mmCIF file of all heavy atoms in Angstrom:
data_model
loop_
_atom_site.group_PDB
_atom_site.id
_atom_site.type_symbol
_atom_site.label_atom_id
_atom_site.label_comp_id
_atom_site.label_asym_id
_atom_site.label_seq_id
_atom_site.Cartn_x
_atom_site.Cartn_y
_atom_site.Cartn_z
ATOM 1 N N PHE A 39 22.155 8.347 11.327
ATOM 2 C CA PHE A 39 21.406 8.356 10.067
ATOM 3 C C PHE A 39 22.097 9.317 9.137
ATOM 4 O O PHE A 39 22.426 10.441 9.507
ATOM 5 C CB PHE A 39 19.983 8.846 10.308
ATOM 6 C CG PHE A 39 19.182 8.958 9.047
ATOM 7 C CD1 PHE A 39 18.480 7.878 8.577
ATOM 8 C CD2 PHE A 39 19.141 10.152 8.343
ATOM 9 C CE1 PHE A 39 17.735 8.018 7.397
ATOM 10 C CE2 PHE A 39 18.427 10.268 7.181
ATOM 11 C CZ PHE A 39 17.733 9.189 6.698
ATOM 12 N N GLU A 68 14.880 -0.661 5.072
ATOM 13 C CA GLU A 68 13.800 0.321 4.836
ATOM 14 C C GLU A 68 14.241 1.566 4.155
ATOM 15 O O GLU A 68 13.437 2.390 3.718
ATOM 16 C CB GLU A 68 13.135 0.669 6.165
ATOM 17 C CG GLU A 68 11.973 -0.239 6.558
ATOM 18 C CD GLU A 68 11.332 0.229 7.854
ATOM 19 O OE1 GLU A 68 10.939 1.400 7.953
ATOM 20 O OE2 GLU A 68 11.253 -0.605 8.779
ATOM 21 N N ARG A 72 16.031 4.632 -1.124
ATOM 22 C CA ARG A 72 16.470 6.045 -1.328
ATOM 23 C C ARG A 72 17.846 6.133 -1.963
ATOM 24 O O ARG A 72 18.328 7.212 -2.248
ATOM 25 C CB ARG A 72 16.511 6.776 0.000
ATOM 26 C CG ARG A 72 15.236 6.723 0.817
ATOM 27 C CD ARG A 72 15.365 7.618 2.028
ATOM 28 N NE ARG A 72 14.342 7.335 3.036
ATOM 29 C CZ ARG A 72 14.152 8.087 4.136
ATOM 30 N NH1 ARG A 72 14.921 9.104 4.347
ATOM 31 N NH2 ARG A 72 13.198 7.766 4.992
ATOM 32 N N THR A 88 15.665 2.020 14.086
ATOM 33 C CA THR A 88 14.331 2.581 13.935
ATOM 34 C C THR A 88 13.751 2.251 12.553
ATOM 35 O O THR A 88 12.569 2.370 12.314
ATOM 36 C CB THR A 88 14.343 4.143 14.059
ATOM 37 O OG1 THR A 88 15.144 4.648 13.050
ATOM 38 C CG2 THR A 88 14.828 4.605 15.396
ATOM 39 N N ASN A 109 23.062 1.469 16.504
ATOM 40 C CA ASN A 109 22.818 2.673 17.284
ATOM 41 C C ASN A 109 23.413 2.667 18.702
ATOM 42 O O ASN A 109 23.122 3.508 19.497
ATOM 43 C CB ASN A 109 21.311 2.976 17.347
ATOM 44 C CG ASN A 109 20.538 1.907 18.111
ATOM 45 O OD1 ASN A 109 21.121 1.087 18.836
ATOM 46 N ND2 ASN A 109 19.207 1.907 17.954
ATOM 47 N N SER A 111 26.957 0.903 21.280
ATOM 48 C CA SER A 111 28.256 0.177 21.327
ATOM 49 C C SER A 111 28.065 -1.289 21.034
ATOM 50 O O SER A 111 28.789 -1.892 20.246
ATOM 51 C CB SER A 111 28.902 0.359 22.692
ATOM 52 O OG SER A 111 29.104 1.723 22.945
ATOM 53 N N ALA A 134 27.347 10.664 14.465
ATOM 54 C CA ALA A 134 26.009 11.261 14.411
ATOM 55 C C ALA A 134 25.918 12.331 15.475
ATOM 56 O O ALA A 134 26.263 12.103 16.652
ATOM 57 C CB ALA A 134 24.954 10.221 14.672
ATOM 58 N N ASN A 136 26.446 14.605 18.166
ATOM 59 C CA ASN A 136 27.645 14.719 19.050
ATOM 60 C C ASN A 136 27.912 13.407 19.742
ATOM 61 O O ASN A 136 28.547 13.385 20.810
ATOM 62 C CB ASN A 136 27.318 15.834 20.116
ATOM 63 C CG ASN A 136 26.028 15.473 20.861
ATOM 64 O OD1 ASN A 136 25.209 14.695 20.383
ATOM 65 N ND2 ASN A 136 25.825 16.066 22.023
ATOM 66 N N ARG A 137 27.361 12.312 19.165
ATOM 67 C CA ARG A 137 27.488 11.019 19.871
ATOM 68 C C ARG A 137 28.852 10.394 19.661
ATOM 69 O O ARG A 137 29.460 10.526 18.618
ATOM 70 C CB ARG A 137 26.388 10.083 19.382
ATOM 71 C CG ARG A 137 25.004 10.539 19.880
ATOM 72 C CD ARG A 137 23.914 9.798 19.187
ATOM 73 N NE ARG A 137 24.203 8.371 19.204
ATOM 74 C CZ ARG A 137 23.911 7.578 18.162
ATOM 75 N NH1 ARG A 137 23.335 8.029 17.113
ATOM 76 N NH2 ARG A 137 24.215 6.276 18.244
ATOM 77 N N MET A 138 29.352 9.714 20.688
ATOM 78 C CA MET A 138 30.724 9.231 20.618
ATOM 79 C C MET A 138 30.944 7.863 21.219
ATOM 80 O O MET A 138 31.891 7.165 20.860
ATOM 81 C CB MET A 138 31.626 10.263 21.350
ATOM 82 C CG MET A 138 31.225 10.497 22.786
ATOM 83 S SD MET A 138 32.353 11.613 23.620
ATOM 84 C CE MET A 138 31.410 13.128 23.663
ATOM 85 N N VAL A 139 30.101 7.466 22.183
ATOM 86 C CA VAL A 139 30.426 6.261 22.987
ATOM 87 C C VAL A 139 30.681 4.976 22.176
ATOM 88 O O VAL A 139 31.617 4.238 22.453
ATOM 89 C CB VAL A 139 29.376 6.012 24.091
ATOM 90 C CG1 VAL A 139 29.617 4.726 24.833
ATOM 91 C CG2 VAL A 139 29.416 7.197 25.096
ATOM 92 N N LEU A 213 31.787 12.665 28.643
ATOM 93 C CA LEU A 213 30.373 12.940 28.683
ATOM 94 C C LEU A 213 30.007 14.019 29.682
ATOM 95 O O LEU A 213 28.821 14.315 29.929
ATOM 96 C CB LEU A 213 29.573 11.649 28.969
ATOM 97 C CG LEU A 213 29.661 10.632 27.832
ATOM 98 C CD1 LEU A 213 29.099 9.299 28.250
ATOM 99 C CD2 LEU A 213 28.978 11.126 26.581
ATOM 100 N N GLU B 66 21.289 17.758 20.679
ATOM 101 C CA GLU B 66 22.541 17.474 21.401
ATOM 102 C C GLU B 66 22.270 16.858 22.788
ATOM 103 O O GLU B 66 22.947 15.943 23.235
ATOM 104 C CB GLU B 66 23.390 18.744 21.573
ATOM 105 C CG GLU B 66 24.157 19.169 20.298
ATOM 106 C CD GLU B 66 23.296 19.729 19.196
ATOM 107 O OE1 GLU B 66 22.102 20.024 19.447
ATOM 108 O OE2 GLU B 66 23.784 19.823 18.051
ATOM 109 N N ARG B 70 23.394 13.225 23.907
ATOM 110 C CA ARG B 70 24.225 13.038 25.093
ATOM 111 C C ARG B 70 23.594 12.008 26.036
ATOM 112 O O ARG B 70 24.265 11.183 26.637
ATOM 113 C CB ARG B 70 24.400 14.357 25.808
ATOM 114 C CG ARG B 70 25.599 14.355 26.713
ATOM 115 C CD ARG B 70 26.055 15.757 27.087
ATOM 116 N NE ARG B 70 26.608 15.611 28.416
ATOM 117 C CZ ARG B 70 26.029 16.060 29.537
ATOM 118 N NH1 ARG B 70 24.897 16.670 29.458
ATOM 119 N NH2 ARG B 70 26.618 15.823 30.698
ATOM 120 N N ASP B 73 24.255 8.571 24.806
ATOM 121 C CA ASP B 73 25.635 8.219 25.047
ATOM 122 C C ASP B 73 25.902 7.854 26.504
ATOM 123 O O ASP B 73 26.617 6.930 26.802
ATOM 124 C CB ASP B 73 26.549 9.419 24.673
ATOM 125 C CG ASP B 73 27.246 9.208 23.322
ATOM 126 O OD1 ASP B 73 27.053 8.101 22.742
ATOM 127 O OD2 ASP B 73 27.930 10.128 22.856
ATOM 128 N N ASP B 76 24.586 4.457 27.067
ATOM 129 C CA ASP B 76 25.499 3.512 26.444
ATOM 130 C C ASP B 76 26.734 3.306 27.314
ATOM 131 O O ASP B 76 27.140 2.169 27.609
ATOM 132 C CB ASP B 76 25.886 4.077 25.071
ATOM 133 C CG ASP B 76 26.524 3.036 24.149
ATOM 134 O OD1 ASP B 76 27.030 2.033 24.658
ATOM 135 O OD2 ASP B 76 26.516 3.241 22.930
ATOM 136 N N ALA B 77 27.304 4.409 27.760
ATOM 137 C CA ALA B 77 28.503 4.340 28.608
ATOM 138 C C ALA B 77 28.223 3.620 29.947
ATOM 139 O O ALA B 77 29.090 2.946 30.465
ATOM 140 C CB ALA B 77 29.063 5.752 28.869
ATOM 141 N N ARG B 81 22.175 -0.079 27.551
ATOM 142 C CA ARG B 81 21.430 -0.194 26.301
ATOM 143 C C ARG B 81 20.977 -1.637 26.017
ATOM 144 O O ARG B 81 20.016 -1.851 25.341
ATOM 145 C CB ARG B 81 22.292 0.290 25.097
ATOM 146 C CG ARG B 81 22.610 1.749 25.064
ATOM 147 C CD ARG B 81 21.497 2.698 24.578
ATOM 148 N NE ARG B 81 20.606 2.255 23.535
ATOM 149 C CZ ARG B 81 20.569 2.750 22.300
ATOM 150 N NH1 ARG B 81 21.450 3.661 21.919
ATOM 151 N NH2 ARG B 81 19.663 2.349 21.448
ATOM 152 N N LYS B 95 11.421 9.449 12.255
ATOM 153 C CA LYS B 95 12.215 8.208 12.332
ATOM 154 C C LYS B 95 13.702 8.513 12.040
ATOM 155 O O LYS B 95 14.583 7.940 12.671
ATOM 156 C CB LYS B 95 11.714 7.213 11.291
ATOM 157 C CG LYS B 95 10.664 6.248 11.840
ATOM 158 C CD LYS B 95 10.086 5.438 10.711
ATOM 159 C CE LYS B 95 10.543 4.002 10.796
ATOM 160 N NZ LYS B 95 9.772 3.155 9.919
ATOM 161 N N GLU B 96 13.883 9.378 11.064
ATOM 162 C CA GLU B 96 15.269 9.749 10.679
ATOM 163 C C GLU B 96 16.031 10.375 11.848
ATOM 164 O O GLU B 96 17.167 10.007 12.136
ATOM 165 C CB GLU B 96 15.288 10.737 9.490
ATOM 166 C CG GLU B 96 14.916 10.173 8.155
ATOM 167 C CD GLU B 96 13.413 10.074 7.942
ATOM 168 O OE1 GLU B 96 12.654 10.403 8.906
ATOM 169 O OE2 GLU B 96 13.010 9.615 6.851
ATOM 170 N N GLU B 100 19.295 9.060 13.844
ATOM 171 C CA GLU B 100 20.461 9.925 13.979
ATOM 172 C C GLU B 100 20.865 10.026 15.458
ATOM 173 O O GLU B 100 22.041 10.012 15.789
ATOM 174 C CB GLU B 100 20.088 11.309 13.428
ATOM 175 C CG GLU B 100 21.090 12.391 13.671
ATOM 176 C CD GLU B 100 22.080 12.611 12.529
ATOM 177 O OE1 GLU B 100 22.068 11.772 11.629
ATOM 178 O OE2 GLU B 100 22.782 13.638 12.520
ATOM 179 N N LEU B 101 19.867 10.092 16.316
ATOM 180 C CA LEU B 101 20.134 10.245 17.758
ATOM 181 C C LEU B 101 20.501 8.924 18.418
ATOM 182 O O LEU B 101 20.878 8.902 19.579
ATOM 183 C CB LEU B 101 18.924 10.845 18.447
ATOM 184 C CG LEU B 101 18.563 12.306 18.059
ATOM 185 C CD1 LEU B 101 17.176 12.670 18.552
ATOM 186 C CD2 LEU B 101 19.596 13.242 18.636
ATOM 187 N N GLY B 102 20.305 7.801 17.688
ATOM 188 C CA GLY B 102 20.687 6.513 18.240
ATOM 189 C C GLY B 102 19.640 5.832 19.079
ATOM 190 O O GLY B 102 19.900 4.912 19.815
ATOM 191 N N ASP B 104 16.084 3.604 19.724
ATOM 192 C CA ASP B 104 15.577 2.409 19.107
ATOM 193 C C ASP B 104 14.297 2.680 18.309
ATOM 194 O O ASP B 104 13.966 1.956 17.374
ATOM 195 C CB ASP B 104 15.281 1.322 20.166
ATOM 196 C CG ASP B 104 16.583 0.893 20.812
ATOM 197 O OD1 ASP B 104 17.536 0.542 20.073
ATOM 198 O OD2 ASP B 104 16.688 0.895 22.068
#
Side-chain angles (χ1 to χ4, degrees):
Chain A
F39 176 89
E68 272 181 54
R72 306 186 195 187
T88 61
N109 65 16
S111 300
N136 55 341
R137 291 169 46 217
M138 58 177 103
V139 174
L213 294 170
Chain B
E66 281 73 12
R70 200 163 149 253
D73 257 357
D76 196 338
R81 294 281 326 249
K95 266 173 110 167
E96 286 83 357
E100 171 96 347
L101 294 166
D104 294 311

